[in-house]
Amino acid sequence: MNLRAGFVSVFIACVLGLSSHPSPAQAVPQGSFGFTDFAAEAKLEEKFLAVPDPKLAGEDLKTLTAEPHLAATPEDYKTAEFVARKFRAAGLDTQIVPYRVLLNQPKVVRVEAWDDAGHLLMTGPAREHVNGDPQQDDPRIVMPFNSSSGSGDVTGEVVYANYGRLEDFNELAAQHIDLHGKIVICRYGSDFRGVKVYLAEQRGAIGVLLYSDPQDDGYYKGDPYPIGPWRPDTSVQRGSVQYLFRYAGDPETPGFASTLDLPDSARVKNITGPDGNQPRIISIPLSYHDAAPILQALKGPGAPQGWQGALPFRYHLGPDGVKVHLISQQDYQRRIIWDVIGKIEGSQDPEAWVIVGNHRDAWVYGAVDPSSGTAAMLEAVRGIGALLRQGWRPRRTIVFCSWDAEEEGLIGSTEWVEQQGRTLDRAVAYFNVDVAVSGPNFSAGAVPSLKEFIRDVARSVPSPVAGSVFLQWRLKVSSSDEHHESNAPPIEGEKVHVGDLGSGSDFTPFLQHAGVPSTEITSSGPYGVYHSAFDDFAWYTQNADPDFLYLQEMARVLGLEAMRMADADALPYNYIAYAREISAYIEAAKRKAADDGLGSLDFAAAESAASRLAAAAERAHALQSVPYGDLTQLNLALRQAETALLSPAGLPGRPWYRHTIYAPGEFTGYSAVVIPGVNEAIDAHNPTLAAQQLTVLSQALDRAANALSAAH
Ligand SMILES: [Zn+2]
């Protein structure tokens, strides 16, 4: 998953196809925060950086993308065995960990449309096809479908709902267009597809068609594949429509693990009810080849100007003009999935885990999403394996994870996190990579305590272009920033923004359920084949990274994150930055409350708790800067400060989400809502709930301040 609906800004830096491999010596190690003496670490890092190899990464990418490998298929298991072999070859203590989880696979998906006169407009879906793609005819390519879609057979009039955002549905209501008994057609983009289905279901729709408009990732952006990187007419974005904002993972086991021995009686029954994460209605994804005849025949009011896409006719809202018939027969089964877990036991603090993760399952071939991440991770593992053979042992334990069934709802990672339980209270970081490489623009998201850490790591890794990854990131920041939105104003002198973590990939259970400080990295570019059959090796080498230099770059960044976090004397969290961002969120919420007529809400307790956290952070920071003596107490305190930000009761209406600072928005899905309990209560104009959530936030900040103070 991961992409914010598949668009990435279109800056194509002219850096593809470079022939010279950068040497690690070009990078000057600068990250010393948390280290008593960085010289020894810098030497190790230099050795590590010399190992990841573009050619070998390219070979792994080719192997991983040789066959479609949807979660829970035999081909998926083959990739698990491949990754496990690579882990073991590097010296990792490796296990394939199975779970039994509810997954749907499509039996029949069919769409037919007629105009008012009863003339057939289209039947579909048409097969995904372009001229010359070498892998498009494999019979194992799964037909386009939405995982978590209901099964059903419905016929109805059609209403166009733009991106299917809350404001779009509100606009339809303002125009008195009733959605009861209707089929909503909306375009992909702007928010998570599950949110579109959720809003349509709430308003009485009986089905949803989700299509890719050429304005968003097709010919409006540039040449379609196979000429360029953008979406061709028959290409379809598959994807999960799970109600991820309620909880992630297996629908039947929120908060506990779907182990093989879990009895069926222990599973949750009403997964489409108000506490479940599954829609009741059906949804079907479409190409613009199939959506165009439906949209063109729609009558009714003209679409508002911002709703007009790039198809060559005026869009209308409906509901007159078209009737569609949707059939979706989904085979729901509890199926076995396979995570691969490889460990390197720490020499001094084995219970403190540094976890690196990437999903392995793909909708089809998944060259960019997620195999570029897997290929990069495998080269990072090989680099660390080389150090192990030379006798190096990390101070803390490093755990590499290859997740399954991420695409269906972060399932493999969530079940594993739920199985670990309180063990993860000692895990010091989770470093995610998913869509590792779709082009040359590096960007990152992180909790604020790790934002400076990821900048430091980027300063130590050479860019394929020139200088460091950090330098290139800073040069291109305006183009790559969109990928990880940040909710705090830019800080003077900081120079490059690190975004906030919302959802859409496997960091969600770690950060937002278990309170493990997390980061995510990506290197992006024009990418129009997200979740389609064309996200394959041919597309990748033509458009993203022909010489695999960016796989090498991402392997180096990921490996260095793990090494530096595993070896630091004092954990390199920056709580000064965290406290500053939290204060900014509180001030922004206060202004919003005043603007929304909730000016009587009392923010004083939250503001003073944030100030206490800032003061405790300053004192801890001084100890981290020149670490000496026994650092056990300092490191425990630093780690506990993040766990302290979890609310035991969870967020209102969605207790699985426990983090008081970050959650995926109920109405956005991918992008983060900050201090979500407070902000969503203000958005809902509920002053009682807002006041109660301000108390929950103040208590969390007080706990974090107390935890940090215990360092002294
Ligand atoms: Zn992905």
Side-chain angles (χ1 to χ4, degrees), residues 2 32 100 116 142 192 221 228 328 476 594 607 636 645 654 677:
N2 178 279
S32 59
R100 198 160 62 98
D116 277 346
V142 72
F192 174 56
K221 293 279 196 183
S328 167
K476 286 182 277 185
E607 287 170 323
L636 275 177
L645 295 172
R654 42 183 185 150

Side-chain angles (χ1 to χ4, degrees), residues 599-635:
S600 62
L601 269 179
D602 187 359
F603 284 77
E607 287 170 323
S608 62
S611 299
R612 282 194 293 282
L613 179 61
E618 293 279 356
R619 291 192 298 271
H621 201 82
L623 296 175
Q624 292 166 278
S625 301
V626 278
Y628 67 93
D630 183 1
L631 299 167
T632 312
Q633 191 57 32
L634 174 66
N635 284 332

Side-chain angles (χ1 to χ4, degrees), residues 510-521:
F510 284 93
L511 176 64
Q512 293 155 351
H513 183 68
V516 181
S518 299
T519 73
E520 181 174 63
I521 54 173

Side-chain angles (χ1 to χ4, degrees), residues 147-148 192-195 240-245 247-251 277-279 408-411:
S147 69
S148 290
F192 174 56
R193 62 185 89 68
V195 173
S240 170
V241 293
Q242 187 193 69
Y243 294 169
L244 181 61
F245 47 85
Y247 57 91
D250 183 356
N277 72 353
Q278 300 289 288
E408 287 80 358
L410 323 180
I411 295 176

Side-chain angles (χ1 to χ4, degrees), residues 251-593:
E252 296 185 309
T253 63
F256 54 103
S258 306
T259 51
L260 298 193
D261 58 3
L262 182 77
D264 290 350
S265 59
R267 292 167 192 257
V268 166
K269 298 285 174 301
N270 189 9
I271 55 175
T272 57
D275 299 325
N277 72 353
Q278 300 289 288
R280 282 193 312 275
I281 61 175
I282 66 174
S283 68
I284 294 175
L286 284 185
S287 65
Y288 64 81
H289 172 275
D290 286 336
I294 299 172
L295 288 164
Q296 187 163 18
L298 264 188
K299 295 175 180 166
Q305 192 54 30
W307 293 33
Q308 175 70 32
L311 291 169
F313 47 79
R314 188 68 204 174
Y315 292 27
H316 293 80
L317 300 180
D320 301 325
V322 187
K323 260 208 173 88
V324 296
H325 176 205
L326 309 184
I327 302 174
S328 167
Q329 285 176 23
Q330 300 297 324
D331 179 19
Y332 272 91
Q333 303 275 349
R334 296 191 187 105
R335 302 171 199 269
I336 310 283
I337 62 167
W338 307 276
D339 292 345
V340 185
I341 309 291
K343 277 188 190 154
I344 304 160
E345 174 107 339
S347 61
Q348 293 174 46
D349 193 359
E351 287 174 16
W353 292 0
V354 175
I355 304 165
V356 178
N358 154 251
H359 76 91
R360 193 189 63 251
D361 65 297
W363 284 116
V364 187
Y365 301 103
V368 169
D369 178 7
S371 305
S372 64
T374 312
M377 185 168 80
L378 289 177
E379 274 303 282
V381 165
R382 204 171 61 81
I384 283 176
L387 297 185
L388 292 174
R389 276 198 303 282
Q390 293 169 33
W392 173 72
R393 270 272 168 289
R395 165 196 290 263
R396 302 182 179 86
T397 294
I398 299 178
V399 187
F400 282 97
C401 308
S402 169
W403 309 121
D404 205 350
E406 186 270 359
E407 295 294 6
E408 287 80 358
L410 323 180
I411 295 176
S413 59
T414 297
E415 300 313 310
W416 190 81
V417 163
E418 289 171 344
Q419 189 173 14
Q420 305 314 308
R422 302 301 300 266
T423 306
L424 294 180
D425 287 0
R426 291 289 325 275
V428 294
Y430 175 67
F431 298 133
N432 194 60
V433 63
D434 180 344
V435 173
V437 180
S438 59
N441 303 317
F442 183 85
S443 70
V447 286
S449 54
L450 288 175
K451 287 186 177 180
E452 194 54 32
F453 173 80
I454 188 67
R455 289 186 198 102
D456 266 342
V457 168
R459 284 184 186 100
S460 299
V461 175
S463 158
V465 184
S468 67
V469 172
F470 180 81
L471 178 78
Q472 296 301 324
W473 183 11
R474 200 176 63 192
L475 290 174
K476 286 182 277 185
V477 71
S478 57
S479 64
S480 59
D481 221 14
E482 186 187 318
H483 198 75
H484 289 105
E485 283 178 12
S486 177
N487 290 277
I491 293 154
E492 202 60 36
E494 184 184 67
K495 301 213 177 75
V496 60
H497 235 33
V498 177
D500 296 327
L501 296 173
S503 191
S505 195
D506 293 307
F507 56 81
T508 275
F510 284 93
L511 176 64
Q512 293 155 351
H513 183 68
V516 181
S518 299
T519 73
E520 181 174 63
I521 54 173
T522 187
S523 182
S524 60
Y527 174 42
V529 296
Y530 175 64
H531 286 186
S532 77
F534 306 121
D535 183 358
D536 61 10
F537 192 74
W539 184 95
Y540 186 90
T541 49
Q542 178 190 311
N543 297 292
D545 186 20
D547 299 315
F548 313 111
L549 294 175
Y550 288 92
L551 288 183
Q552 178 190 40
E553 174 185 301
M554 296 305 270
R556 287 169 164 170
V557 174
L558 198 61
L560 223 55
E561 282 190 278
M563 284 179 67
R564 202 171 276 181
M565 184 61 73
D567 273 350
D569 298 293
L571 290 167
Y573 305 135
N574 185 333
Y575 277 103
I576 296 176
Y578 214 145
R580 190 168 51 210
E581 292 213 20
I582 290 170
S583 289
Y585 304 158
I586 293 171
E587 293 318 305
K590 191 175 169 183
R591 283 193 301 275
K592 185 171 70 174

Side-chain angles (χ1 to χ4, degrees), residues 89-280:
L92 276 54
D93 177 10
T94 303
Q95 278 187 300
I96 295 181
V97 181
Y99 296 98
R100 198 160 62 98
V101 304
L102 187 69
L103 291 176
N104 61 308
Q105 289 177 0
K107 281 192 293 200
V108 180
V109 173
R110 191 162 173 80
V111 180
E112 298 163 323
W114 299 271
D115 68 11
D116 277 346
H119 294 127
L120 188 66
L121 294 166
M122 59 78 70
T123 62
R127 194 167 65 90
E128 288 185 288
H129 192 83
V130 296
N131 284 331
D133 180 85
Q135 287 184 287
Q136 64 188 345
D137 294 323
D138 192 302
R140 294 168 296 183
I141 294 174
V142 72
M143 70 178 87
F145 77 113
N146 288 131
S147 69
S148 290
S149 166
S151 285
D153 181 328
V154 296
T155 302
E157 293 175 320
V158 179
V159 174
Y160 174 59
N162 194 28
Y163 289 111
R165 299 168 299 188
L166 183 61
E167 61 261 43
D168 297 328
F169 282 102
N170 288 345
E171 172 67 24
L172 289 173
Q175 298 215 24
H176 306 290
I177 295 176
D178 181 17
L179 296 180
H180 283 91
K182 301 291 191 292
I183 289 163
V184 168
I185 184 167
C186 49
R187 49 173 161 166
Y188 276 125
S190 183
D191 61 3
F192 174 56
R193 62 185 89 68
V195 173
K196 304 171 196 280
V197 173
Y198 172 63
L199 292 169
E201 181 178 288
Q202 277 189 330
R203 282 156 181 76
I206 55 172
V208 179
L209 289 168
L210 299 166
Y211 82 102
S212 300
D213 198 287
Q215 187 177 57
D216 299 309
D217 63 7
Y219 57 71
Y220 185 84
K221 293 279 196 183
D223 281 323
Y225 182 68
I227 309 293
W230 296 103
R231 193 177 296 277
D233 62 345
T234 57
S235 169
V236 185
Q237 180 189 139
R238 294 157 184 80
S240 170
V241 293
Q242 187 193 69
Y243 294 169
L244 181 61
F245 47 85
R246 294 246 177 82
Y247 57 91
D250 183 356
E252 296 185 309
T253 63
F256 54 103
S258 306
T259 51
L260 298 193
D261 58 3
L262 182 77
D264 290 350
S265 59
R267 292 167 192 257
V268 166
K269 298 285 174 301
N270 189 9
I271 55 175
T272 57
D275 299 325
N277 72 353
Q278 300 289 288
R280 282 193 312 275

